[in-house]
Amino acid sequence: MRLLIVEDEQRLAETLAKGLAAEGFAVDVVHNGIDGLHRARTGDYDLVLLDIMLPGMNGYRVCAELRAAGDETPVLMLTAKDGEYDEAEGLDTGADDYLSKPFSYVVLLARIRALLRRRTRGGAPVLSVGDLTVDPNTHTCRRGTQEVTLTAKELAVLEYLAVHAGAIVSKSDILQHVWDFAYDGDPNIVEVYISTLRRKIDAPFGRRSITTVRGAGYRLVADRG
């Protein structure tokens, strides 16, 4: 899942981004309404965390512009303002939920997951490729009946491959959807994660489910050994 945070309080934005990344989300951050609207329009996001009091363009306008353009990405508004009229205005512009600062991170995370479940009608589907299953709702992976322990980032890479099972996904596709847009490290990090996944989900079970398509990328296929 990919999230966009539009928040001008940089310390808060960085704290939220770090916490959500640890939960396995890919997170992008911008600090004003104009950049937020541009990023939301041009990126592929599952949810937007949107502050109301923003420089350049306030959150109400950003949300209204998105909805006017037919963008139905869930929007969770964050604000230091606290009042039923502020909440009503936020919801009237098309926001899906509203959270007043200061808020509990646990509550924020629960609201995010609730909105994502609502978008997918009760939860993201369990992904199965042969006897390999990935459950985005419980953040678990199994090979047959045996659970395979993966880190949040490993699970995110595998989930992206599973969503596109049978198709070739490029290294840049994985970087774009699993890492944030500001990532400027070695793109070969993808190869490291693919290698680790093979050691965890394939090698112990005598499988070769993650294949390399030379010059193109990777493909996840069913392999029963």
Side-chain angles (χ1 to χ4, degrees):
M1 293 288 183
R2 191 173 187 83
L3 309 183
L4 174 64
I5 297 175
V6 188
E7 168 61 66
D8 64 330
E9 294 181 39
Q10 294 196 18
R11 183 175 297 179
L12 174 59
E14 290 169 4
T15 299
L16 291 177
K18 185 178 295 185
L20 292 169
E23 296 291 333
F25 294 104
V27 185
D28 294 339
V29 179
V30 293
H31 301 295
N32 65 72
I34 295 173
D35 288 345
L37 179 60
H38 172 73
R39 182 62 61 175
R41 280 176 166 171
T42 58
D44 182 14
Y45 295 101
D46 297 286
L47 183 141
V48 178
L49 293 177
L50 179 64
D51 188 30
I52 290 179
M53 304 301 290
L54 291 166
M57 177 184 292
N58 68 40
Y60 296 135
R61 280 192 59 199
V62 172
C63 188
E65 292 271 353
L66 289 174
R67 295 306 185 234
D71 190 325
E72 296 299 322
T73 302
V75 172
L76 173 55
M77 280 192 164
L78 307 175
T79 181
K81 301 174 73 175
D82 185 11
E84 62 182 15
Y85 292 107
D86 299 320
E87 181 175 355
E89 185 173 357
L91 297 175
D92 283 345
T93 59
D96 297 272
D97 203 353
Y98 183 101
L99 198 57
S100 296
K101 302 173 185 176
F103 50 80
S104 160
Y105 176 74
V106 173
V107 172
L108 172 69
L109 189 59
R111 296 281 187 92
I112 289 172
R113 287 177 171 159
L115 287 175
L116 292 174
R117 284 196 302 271
R118 190 184 308 167
R119 189 184 193 194
T120 54
R121 299 183 180 180
V126 175
L127 304 165
S128 297
V129 184
D131 66 347
L132 178 70
T133 58
V134 180
D135 189 339
N137 304 296
T138 59
H139 304 286
T140 56
C141 170
R142 291 183 178 276
R143 175 67 82 178
T145 59
Q146 185 171 333
E147 185 168 346
V148 181
T149 301
L150 300 176
T151 66
K153 191 65 77 177
E154 289 164 359
L155 191 67
V157 173
L158 181 59
E159 181 181 340
Y160 186 72
L161 289 171
V163 166
H164 299 88
I168 300 171
V169 294
S170 69
K171 187 186 298 183
S172 61
D173 286 336
I174 297 172
L175 276 174
Q176 180 181 353
H177 288 270
V178 179
W179 278 264
D180 61 67
F181 76 91
Y183 178 76
D184 60 357
D186 188 346
N188 289 326
I189 188 68
V190 174
E191 296 176 13
V192 174
Y193 275 87
I194 293 294
S195 178
T196 301
L197 284 172
R198 284 170 171 156
R199 289 200 305 270
K200 290 186 174 184
I201 69 170
D202 281 351
F205 305 94
R207 308 298 169 81
R208 293 185 61 189
S209 62
I210 302 178
T211 63
T212 299
V213 182
R214 191 172 298 278
Y218 305 98
R219 179 163 47 200
L220 182 66
V221 297
D223 186 320
R224 298 190 175 277

